[in-house]
């Protein structure tokens, strides 16, 4: 599959503090789920509400191990990593690769997330939501390519907002979100993936953590996510 990491199965060393930080973020979101009114489906219009939607941006130079870290997060190679259990909180993931144009398409991201969320079983009500005629219509061949932003909202975010919150916070991971736009060309398709996620961040359910990685040198991507309220 295009969104799979090429580093899957390789041993990973160090950077334990990053996993602890991500675990802390998930625990904070889980704690917020116990607040009154957070266990019921949210109004798709109002979204997560003020302060209810935030994420993690992993930045580093070329070769610093961002993709390796994301791979270890999803497919732990050590007994300690398996015991940590962060991979069990993953609702969906996508790995962007500059040499594979399919991984830079917004439509590929949307299709992949819909498929993974359905298969995960972590949000049981999502399957029923995605079977609704309006959602199925948006998922028809060509529709995602014509309006990927609207499809992302109608087929991923709004159905999740309409589902009962899970007992523990989950996360979606997008690795190398800056790939394909390192030349500064805002029209590159990978830039659209980053802009899609940043533009719709307020519609992420309060129980869903967005984790992205990018090169530190790409100031546009860094600013795009750090400026998200």
């Amino acid at each position: 599959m295009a969104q799979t990491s090429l580093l899957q199965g390789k041993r990973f060393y160090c950077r334990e503090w990053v996993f602890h930080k991500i675990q802390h973020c998930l625990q904070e979101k889980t704690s917020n789920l116990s607040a009154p009114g957070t266990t019921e489906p949210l109004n798709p219009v109002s979204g997560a509400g003020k302060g209810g939607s935030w994420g993690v941006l992993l930045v580093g130079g070329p070769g610093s191990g961002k993709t390796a870290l994301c791979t270890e997060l999803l497919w732990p190679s050590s007994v300690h990593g398996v015991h940590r259990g962060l991979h069990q909180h993953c609702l969906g993931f996508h790995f962007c690769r500059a040499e594979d144009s399919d991984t830079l398409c917004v439509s590929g991201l949307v299709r992949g997330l819909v498929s993974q969320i359905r298969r995960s079983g972590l949000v049981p009500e999502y399957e029923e939501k995605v079977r609704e005629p309006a959602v199925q219509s948006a998922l028809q061949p060509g529709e995602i390519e014509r309006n990927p932003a609207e499809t992302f909202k109608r087929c991923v975010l709004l159905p999740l907002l309409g589902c009962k919150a899970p007992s523990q916070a989950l996360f979606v991971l997008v690795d190398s979100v800056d790939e394909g736009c390192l030349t500064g060309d805002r029209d590159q398709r990978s830039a659209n993936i980053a802009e899609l996620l940043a533009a719709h961040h307020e519609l992420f359910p309060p129980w869903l953590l967005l984790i992205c990685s990018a090169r530190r040198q790409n100031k546009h991507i860094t600013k795009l996510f750090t400026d998200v309220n």
Side-chain angles (χ1 to χ4, degrees):
M1 296 176 65
Q3 71 270 18
T4 299
S5 171
L6 296 178
L7 300 180
Q8 186 176 350
K10 299 193 176 194
R11 290 301 301 271
F12 181 84
Y13 303 94
C14 305
R15 301 292 185 1
E16 275 298 315
W17 66 270
V18 179
F19 299 116
H20 286 305
K21 186 68 174 179
I22 293 174
Q23 192 166 42
H24 174 71
C25 291
L26 288 169
Q27 288 172 344
E28 278 200 340
K29 278 191 170 289
T30 298
S31 297
N32 291 336
L33 292 177
S34 62
T38 56
T39 58
E40 295 301 320
L42 291 168
N43 184 342
V45 177
S46 62
K50 184 178 180 181
S53 184
W54 45 274
V56 174
L57 178 63
L58 305 170
V59 295
S64 60
K66 299 181 298 297
T67 298
L69 189 148
C70 291
T71 303
E72 181 67 14
L73 180 62
L74 298 177
W75 302 284
S77 60
S78 67
V79 174
H80 181 61
V82 173
H83 180 71
R84 187 190 299 116
L86 287 175
H87 60 290
Q88 298 175 353
H89 295 263
C90 179
L91 188 62
F93 60 86
H94 187 87
F95 285 80
C96 299
R97 299 199 299 272
E99 72 278 7
D100 188 343
S101 60
D102 287 343
T103 68
L104 307 182
C105 294
V106 174
S107 58
L109 169 73
V110 176
R111 285 195 181 94
L113 289 179
V114 170
S115 176
Q116 290 176 66
I117 295 170
R118 296 179 75 171
R119 292 199 312 267
S120 73
L122 294 171
V123 187
E125 293 180 8
Y126 180 79
E127 178 64 29
E128 180 181 349
K129 301 285 184 184
V130 85
R131 289 178 180 272
E132 294 179 1
V135 178
Q136 286 297 307
S137 175
L139 289 173
Q140 292 302 309
E143 286 299 319
I144 300 180
E145 287 76 11
R146 277 191 286 270
N147 198 341
E150 183 64 21
T151 303
F152 180 56
K153 186 167 65 173
R154 290 173 57 188
C155 301
V156 178
L157 298 180
L158 294 185
L160 288 177
L161 281 171
C163 295
K164 182 179 179 180
S167 59
Q168 293 186 312
L170 306 174
F171 70 84
V172 166
L173 182 147
V174 180
D175 176 56
S176 301
V177 73
D178 59 320
E179 285 291 2
C181 62
L182 295 177
T183 60
D185 185 354
R186 291 282 302 278
D187 292 330
Q188 292 292 325
R189 286 176 291 178
S190 182
N192 288 339
I193 287 181
E195 290 166 0
L196 177 80
L197 295 171
H200 293 82
H201 196 239
E202 290 185 354
L203 283 178
F204 274 60
W207 47 263
L208 186 61
L209 182 72
L210 174 62
I211 303 175
C212 295
S213 73
R215 297 191 185 192
R216 188 183 303 276
Q217 293 93 325
N218 196 305
K219 295 181 179 179
H220 167 64
I221 296 296
T222 303
K223 186 175 186 296
L224 192 64
F225 284 96
T226 55
D227 280 355
V228 172
N229 295 322

